[in-house]
PDB file of all heavy atoms in Angstrom:
ATOM      1  N   ASP A   1       5.673 197.516 222.595  1.00 98.00           N
ATOM      2  CA  ASP A   1       5.960 198.795 221.939  1.00 98.00           C
ATOM      3  C   ASP A   1       5.196 198.969 220.615  1.00 98.00           C
ATOM      4  O   ASP A   1       4.774 200.080 220.306  1.00 98.00           O
ATOM      5  CB  ASP A   1       7.457 198.924 221.658  1.00 98.00           C
ATOM      6  CG  ASP A   1       8.253 199.303 222.887  1.00 98.00           C
ATOM      7  OD1 ASP A   1       7.622 199.703 223.899  1.00 98.00           O
ATOM      8  OD2 ASP A   1       9.496 199.194 222.853  1.00 98.00           O
ATOM      9  N   ARG A   2       4.980 197.897 219.862  1.00 98.00           N
ATOM     10  CA  ARG A   2       4.517 198.055 218.498  1.00 98.00           C
ATOM     11  C   ARG A   2       3.046 197.673 218.309  1.00 98.00           C
ATOM     12  O   ARG A   2       2.421 198.159 217.357  1.00 98.00           O
ATOM     13  CB  ARG A   2       5.399 197.227 217.558  1.00 98.00           C
ATOM     14  CG  ARG A   2       6.838 197.695 217.541  1.00 98.00           C
ATOM     15  CD  ARG A   2       7.331 197.943 216.128  1.00 98.00           C
ATOM     16  NE  ARG A   2       6.476 198.827 215.372  1.00 98.00           N
ATOM     17  CZ  ARG A   2       6.430 198.867 214.045  1.00 98.00           C
ATOM     18  NH1 ARG A   2       7.192 198.060 213.337  1.00 98.00           N
ATOM     19  NH2 ARG A   2       5.661 199.711 213.416  1.00 98.00           N
ATOM     20  N   LEU A   3       2.503 196.797 219.119  1.00 98.00           N
ATOM     21  CA  LEU A   3       1.115 196.352 218.895  1.00 98.00           C
ATOM     22  C   LEU A   3       0.161 197.223 219.707  1.00 98.00           C
ATOM     23  O   LEU A   3       0.355 197.445 220.892  1.00 98.00           O
ATOM     24  CB  LEU A   3       0.953 194.873 219.277  1.00 98.00           C
ATOM     25  CG  LEU A   3       1.827 193.866 218.519  1.00 98.00           C
ATOM     26  CD1 LEU A   3       1.551 192.461 218.997  1.00 98.00           C
ATOM     27  CD2 LEU A   3       1.598 193.997 217.014  1.00 98.00           C
ATOM     28  N   ARG A   4      -0.924 197.665 219.045  1.00 98.00           N
ATOM     29  CA  ARG A   4      -1.945 198.491 219.715  1.00 98.00           C
ATOM     30  C   ARG A   4      -3.321 197.921 219.417  1.00 98.00           C
ATOM     31  O   ARG A   4      -3.640 197.649 218.258  1.00 98.00           O
ATOM     32  CB  ARG A   4      -1.867 199.947 219.236  1.00 98.00           C
ATOM     33  CG  ARG A   4      -0.695 200.727 219.693  1.00 98.00           C
ATOM     34  CD  ARG A   4      -0.708 200.988 221.179  1.00 98.00           C
ATOM     35  NE  ARG A   4       0.438 201.797 221.580  1.00 98.00           N
ATOM     36  CZ  ARG A   4       1.618 201.290 221.864  1.00 98.00           C
ATOM     37  NH1 ARG A   4       1.819 199.983 221.797  1.00 98.00           N
ATOM     38  NH2 ARG A   4       2.606 202.064 222.232  1.00 98.00           N
ATOM     39  N   ALA A   5      -4.134 197.794 220.462  1.00 98.00           N
ATOM     40  CA  ALA A   5      -5.528 197.367 220.294  1.00 98.00           C
ATOM     41  C   ALA A   5      -6.390 198.608 220.159  1.00 98.00           C
ATOM     42  O   ALA A   5      -6.434 199.434 221.084  1.00 98.00           O
ATOM     43  CB  ALA A   5      -5.958 196.530 221.493  1.00 98.00           C
ATOM     44  N   VAL A   6      -7.058 198.747 219.019  1.00 98.00           N
ATOM     45  CA  VAL A   6      -7.891 199.944 218.763  1.00 98.00           C
ATOM     46  C   VAL A   6      -9.329 199.555 218.443  1.00 98.00           C
ATOM     47  O   VAL A   6     -10.115 200.424 218.041  1.00 98.00           O
ATOM     48  CB  VAL A   6      -7.290 200.806 217.644  1.00 98.00           C
ATOM     49  CG1 VAL A   6      -5.920 201.324 218.021  1.00 98.00           C
ATOM     50  CG2 VAL A   6      -7.226 200.007 216.335  1.00 98.00           C
ATOM     51  N   GLY A   7      -9.704 198.302 218.649  1.00 98.00           N
ATOM     52  CA  GLY A   7     -11.053 197.847 218.311  1.00 98.00           C
ATOM     53  C   GLY A   7     -11.921 197.656 219.541  1.00 98.00           C
ATOM     54  O   GLY A   7     -11.539 197.992 220.662  1.00 98.00           O
ATOM     55  N   GLN A   8     -13.090 197.068 219.320  1.00 97.00           N
ATOM     56  CA  GLN A   8     -14.070 196.828 220.384  1.00 97.00           C
ATOM     57  C   GLN A   8     -14.215 195.378 220.743  1.00 97.00           C
ATOM     58  O   GLN A   8     -14.706 195.051 221.812  1.00 97.00           O
ATOM     59  CB  GLN A   8     -15.438 197.391 219.943  1.00 97.00           C
ATOM     60  CG  GLN A   8     -15.422 198.886 219.661  1.00 97.00           C
ATOM     61  CD  GLN A   8     -15.076 199.705 220.872  1.00 97.00           C
ATOM     62  OE1 GLN A   8     -15.529 199.430 221.978  1.00 97.00           O
ATOM     63  NE2 GLN A   8     -14.267 200.746 220.669  1.00 97.00           N
ATOM     64  N   ASN A   9     -13.809 194.482 219.838  1.00 97.00           N
ATOM     65  CA  ASN A   9     -13.998 193.054 220.048  1.00 97.00           C
ATOM     66  C   ASN A   9     -12.745 192.281 219.647  1.00 97.00           C
ATOM     67  O   ASN A   9     -11.936 192.735 218.852  1.00 97.00           O
ATOM     68  CB  ASN A   9     -15.184 192.556 219.204  1.00 97.00           C
ATOM     69  CG  ASN A   9     -16.482 193.266 219.537  1.00 97.00           C
ATOM     70  OD1 ASN A   9     -17.029 193.113 220.623  1.00 97.00           O
ATOM     71  ND2 ASN A   9     -16.968 194.074 218.585  1.00 97.00           N
ATOM     72  N   GLY A  10     -12.642 191.074 220.194  1.00 98.00           N
ATOM     73  CA  GLY A  10     -11.577 190.170 219.778  1.00 98.00           C
ATOM     74  C   GLY A  10     -10.271 190.396 220.534  1.00 98.00           C
ATOM     75  O   GLY A  10     -10.100 191.340 221.291  1.00 98.00           O
ATOM     76  N   VAL A  11      -9.361 189.460 220.286  1.00 98.00           N
ATOM     77  CA  VAL A  11      -8.059 189.432 220.966  1.00 98.00           C
ATOM     78  C   VAL A  11      -6.964 189.181 219.936  1.00 98.00           C
ATOM     79  O   VAL A  11      -7.130 188.362 219.033  1.00 98.00           O
ATOM     80  CB  VAL A  11      -8.033 188.324 222.054  1.00 98.00           C
ATOM     81  CG1 VAL A  11      -6.642 188.183 222.640  1.00 98.00           C
ATOM     82  CG2 VAL A  11      -9.042 188.623 223.144  1.00 98.00           C
ATOM     83  N   ALA A  12      -5.820 189.851 220.126  1.00 98.00           N
ATOM     84  CA  ALA A  12      -4.610 189.520 219.393  1.00 98.00           C
ATOM     85  C   ALA A  12      -3.677 188.810 220.353  1.00 98.00           C
ATOM     86  O   ALA A  12      -3.234 189.390 221.343  1.00 98.00           O
ATOM     87  CB  ALA A  12      -3.953 190.783 218.846  1.00 98.00           C
ATOM     88  N   ARG A  13      -3.406 187.546 220.077  1.00 98.00           N
ATOM     89  CA  ARG A  13      -2.577 186.740 220.968  1.00 98.00           C
ATOM     90  C   ARG A  13      -1.187 186.561 220.351  1.00 98.00           C
ATOM     91  O   ARG A  13      -1.026 185.980 219.267  1.00 98.00           O
ATOM     92  CB  ARG A  13      -3.201 185.365 221.206  1.00 98.00           C
ATOM     93  CG  ARG A  13      -2.444 184.507 222.214  1.00 98.00           C
ATOM     94  CD  ARG A  13      -3.198 183.223 222.521  1.00 98.00           C
ATOM     95  NE  ARG A  13      -3.388 182.434 221.310  1.00 98.00           N
ATOM     96  CZ  ARG A  13      -4.342 181.511 221.167  1.00 98.00           C
ATOM     97  NH1 ARG A  13      -5.209 181.301 222.154  1.00 98.00           N
ATOM     98  NH2 ARG A  13      -4.431 180.831 220.036  1.00 98.00           N
ATOM     99  N   PHE A  14      -0.203 187.072 221.051  1.00 98.00           N
ATOM    100  CA  PHE A  14       1.205 187.061 220.644  1.00 98.00           C
ATOM    101  C   PHE A  14       1.925 185.969 221.422  1.00 98.00           C
ATOM    102  O   PHE A  14       2.133 186.099 222.630  1.00 98.00           O
ATOM    103  CB  PHE A  14       1.817 188.436 220.909  1.00 98.00           C
ATOM    104  CG  PHE A  14       3.239 188.610 220.419  1.00 98.00           C
ATOM    105  CD1 PHE A  14       3.490 189.081 219.133  1.00 98.00           C
ATOM    106  CD2 PHE A  14       4.317 188.387 221.260  1.00 98.00           C
ATOM    107  CE1 PHE A  14       4.788 189.295 218.691  1.00 98.00           C
ATOM    108  CE2 PHE A  14       5.607 188.588 220.841  1.00 98.00           C
ATOM    109  CZ  PHE A  14       5.860 189.056 219.532  1.00 98.00           C
ATOM    110  N   THR A  15       2.271 184.856 220.750  1.00 98.00           N
ATOM    111  CA  THR A  15       2.833 183.699 221.448  1.00 98.00           C
ATOM    112  C   THR A  15       4.275 183.482 221.055  1.00 98.00           C
ATOM    113  O   THR A  15       4.614 183.359 219.881  1.00 98.00           O
ATOM    114  CB  THR A  15       2.023 182.423 221.127  1.00 98.00           C
ATOM    115  OG1 THR A  15       0.645 182.638 221.422  1.00 98.00           O
ATOM    116  CG2 THR A  15       2.530 181.250 221.943  1.00 98.00           C
ATOM    117  N   ILE A  16       5.173 183.431 222.072  1.00 98.00           N
ATOM    118  CA  ILE A  16       6.607 183.156 221.838  1.00 98.00           C
ATOM    119  C   ILE A  16       6.829 181.665 222.026  1.00 98.00           C
ATOM    120  O   ILE A  16       6.673 181.133 223.114  1.00 98.00           O
ATOM    121  CB  ILE A  16       7.464 183.954 222.842  1.00 98.00           C
ATOM    122  CG1 ILE A  16       7.171 185.467 222.716  1.00 98.00           C
ATOM    123  CG2 ILE A  16       8.946 183.678 222.605  1.00 98.00           C
ATOM    124  CD1 ILE A  16       7.789 186.287 223.817  1.00 98.00           C
ATOM    125  N   HIS A  17       7.161 180.988 220.934  1.00 98.00           N
ATOM    126  CA  HIS A  17       7.419 179.566 220.970  1.00 98.00           C
ATOM    127  C   HIS A  17       8.878 179.229 221.269  1.00 98.00           C
ATOM    128  O   HIS A  17       9.187 178.250 221.966  1.00 98.00           O
ATOM    129  CB  HIS A  17       7.024 178.910 219.646  1.00 98.00           C
ATOM    130  CG  HIS A  17       5.603 179.159 219.250  1.00 98.00           C
ATOM    131  ND1 HIS A  17       4.538 178.605 219.924  1.00 98.00           N
ATOM    132  CD2 HIS A  17       5.068 179.901 218.227  1.00 98.00           C
ATOM    133  CE1 HIS A  17       3.402 178.997 219.338  1.00 98.00           C
ATOM    134  NE2 HIS A  17       3.699 179.778 218.322  1.00 98.00           N
ATOM    135  N   ASN A  18       9.765 180.037 220.729  1.00 98.00           N
ATOM    136  CA  ASN A  18      11.204 179.782 220.898  1.00 98.00           C
ATOM    137  C   ASN A  18      11.936 181.112 220.988  1.00 98.00           C
ATOM    138  O   ASN A  18      11.618 182.056 220.256  1.00 98.00           O
ATOM    139  CB  ASN A  18      11.738 178.971 219.706  1.00 98.00           C
ATOM    140  CG  ASN A  18      13.141 178.442 219.942  1.00 98.00           C
ATOM    141  OD1 ASN A  18      13.743 178.603 220.985  1.00 98.00           O
ATOM    142  ND2 ASN A  18      13.705 177.782 218.921  1.00 98.00           N
ATOM    143  N   ALA A  19      12.901 181.193 221.899  1.00 98.00           N
ATOM    144  CA  ALA A  19      13.747 182.389 222.028  1.00 98.00           C
ATOM    145  C   ALA A  19      15.096 181.922 222.589  1.00 98.00           C
ATOM    146  O   ALA A  19      15.564 182.404 223.612  1.00 98.00           O
ATOM    147  CB  ALA A  19      13.101 183.419 222.931  1.00 98.00           C
ATOM    148  N   SER A  20      15.700 180.984 221.874  1.00 98.00           N
ATOM    149  CA  SER A  20      16.872 180.294 222.407  1.00 98.00           C
ATOM    150  C   SER A  20      18.182 180.798 221.774  1.00 98.00           C
ATOM    151  O   SER A  20      18.189 181.333 220.651  1.00 98.00           O
ATOM    152  CB  SER A  20      16.753 178.783 222.161  1.00 98.00           C
ATOM    153  OG  SER A  20      16.725 178.506 220.765  1.00 98.00           O
ATOM    154  N   VAL A  21      19.249 180.580 222.502  1.00 98.00           N
ATOM    155  CA  VAL A  21      20.608 180.786 221.979  1.00 98.00           C
ATOM    156  C   VAL A  21      21.444 179.586 222.423  1.00 98.00           C
ATOM    157  O   VAL A  21      21.478 179.261 223.625  1.00 98.00           O
ATOM    158  CB  VAL A  21      21.261 182.086 222.509  1.00 98.00           C
ATOM    159  CG1 VAL A  21      22.623 182.293 221.851  1.00 98.00           C
ATOM    160  CG2 VAL A  21      20.363 183.294 222.282  1.00 98.00           C
ATOM    161  N   THR A  22      22.115 178.956 221.485  1.00 98.00           N
ATOM    162  CA  THR A  22      22.983 177.824 221.813  1.00 98.00           C
ATOM    163  C   THR A  22      24.438 178.167 221.486  1.00 98.00           C
ATOM    164  O   THR A  22      24.692 178.920 220.562  1.00 98.00           O
ATOM    165  CB  THR A  22      22.559 176.549 221.050  1.00 98.00           C
ATOM    166  OG1 THR A  22      22.613 176.802 219.637  1.00 98.00           O
ATOM    167  CG2 THR A  22      21.169 176.116 221.449  1.00 98.00           C
ATOM    168  N   GLN A  23      25.324 177.609 222.242  1.00 98.00           N
ATOM    169  CA  GLN A  23      26.764 177.800 222.056  1.00 98.00           C
ATOM    170  C   GLN A  23      27.403 176.522 221.555  1.00 98.00           C
ATOM    171  O   GLN A  23      27.169 175.443 222.107  1.00 98.00           O
ATOM    172  CB  GLN A  23      27.434 178.234 223.354  1.00 98.00           C
ATOM    173  CG  GLN A  23      28.949 178.325 223.272  1.00 98.00           C
ATOM    174  CD  GLN A  23      29.591 178.710 224.579  1.00 98.00           C
ATOM    175  OE1 GLN A  23      29.163 179.667 225.248  1.00 98.00           O
ATOM    176  NE2 GLN A  23      30.616 177.971 225.012  1.00 98.00           N
ATOM    177  N   THR A  24      28.209 176.654 220.509  1.00 98.00           N
ATOM    178  CA  THR A  24      28.955 175.529 219.968  1.00 98.00           C
ATOM    179  C   THR A  24      30.427 175.856 220.038  1.00 98.00           C
ATOM    180  O   THR A  24      30.883 176.871 219.492  1.00 98.00           O
ATOM    181  CB  THR A  24      28.579 175.243 218.497  1.00 98.00           C
ATOM    182  OG1 THR A  24      27.167 174.954 218.424  1.00 98.00           O
ATOM    183  CG2 THR A  24      29.359 174.077 217.936  1.00 98.00           C
ATOM    184  N   ASP A  25      31.215 175.040 220.743  1.00 96.00           N
ATOM    185  CA  ASP A  25      32.671 175.230 220.834  1.00 96.00           C
ATOM    186  C   ASP A  25      33.292 174.807 219.495  1.00 96.00           C
ATOM    187  O   ASP A  25      33.042 173.723 219.008  1.00 96.00           O
ATOM    188  CB  ASP A  25      33.251 174.430 221.987  1.00 96.00           C
ATOM    189  CG  ASP A  25      32.759 174.942 223.325  1.00 96.00           C
ATOM    190  OD1 ASP A  25      32.445 176.141 223.445  1.00 96.00           O
ATOM    191  OD2 ASP A  25      32.653 174.124 224.279  1.00 96.00           O
ATOM    192  N   LEU A  26      34.159 175.699 218.975  1.00 96.00           N
ATOM    193  CA  LEU A  26      34.797 175.431 217.701  1.00 96.00           C
ATOM    194  C   LEU A  26      36.185 174.845 217.899  1.00 96.00           C
ATOM    195  O   LEU A  26      36.844 175.047 218.930  1.00 96.00           O
ATOM    196  CB  LEU A  26      34.904 176.718 216.891  1.00 96.00           C
ATOM    197  CG  LEU A  26      33.560 177.449 216.646  1.00 96.00           C
ATOM    198  CD1 LEU A  26      33.804 178.762 215.908  1.00 96.00           C
ATOM    199  CD2 LEU A  26      32.603 176.563 215.884  1.00 96.00           C
ATOM    200  N   LYS A  27      36.639 174.100 216.906  1.00 93.00           N
ATOM    201  CA  LYS A  27      37.961 173.485 216.973  1.00 93.00           C
ATOM    202  C   LYS A  27      39.030 174.558 216.984  1.00 93.00           C
ATOM    203  O   LYS A  27      39.023 175.494 216.181  1.00 93.00           O
ATOM    204  CB  LYS A  27      38.158 172.530 215.784  1.00 93.00           C
ATOM    205  CG  LYS A  27      39.449 171.749 215.814  1.00 93.00           C
ATOM    206  CD  LYS A  27      39.549 170.778 214.647  1.00 93.00           C
ATOM    207  CE  LYS A  27      40.845 169.980 214.681  1.00 93.00           C
ATOM    208  NZ  LYS A  27      40.948 169.040 213.558  1.00 93.00           N
TER     209      LYS A  27
END
């Protein structure tokens, strides 16, 4: 939605390293 390529050369590389959700049970 937000990134737009408007040039003639090169690359914009968008890398997702982490997208985690962890659950911890509480006392």
Side-chain angles (χ1 to χ4, degrees):
D1 282 347
R2 297 232 53 202
L3 301 180
R4 289 292 182 275
V6 297
Q8 300 297 318
N9 301 292
V11 173
R13 184 175 60 202
F14 185 89
T15 305
I16 303 170
H17 304 292
N18 191 4
S20 63
V21 185
T22 58
Q23 174 182 311
T24 301
D25 294 331
L26 303 178
K27 185 177 181 180

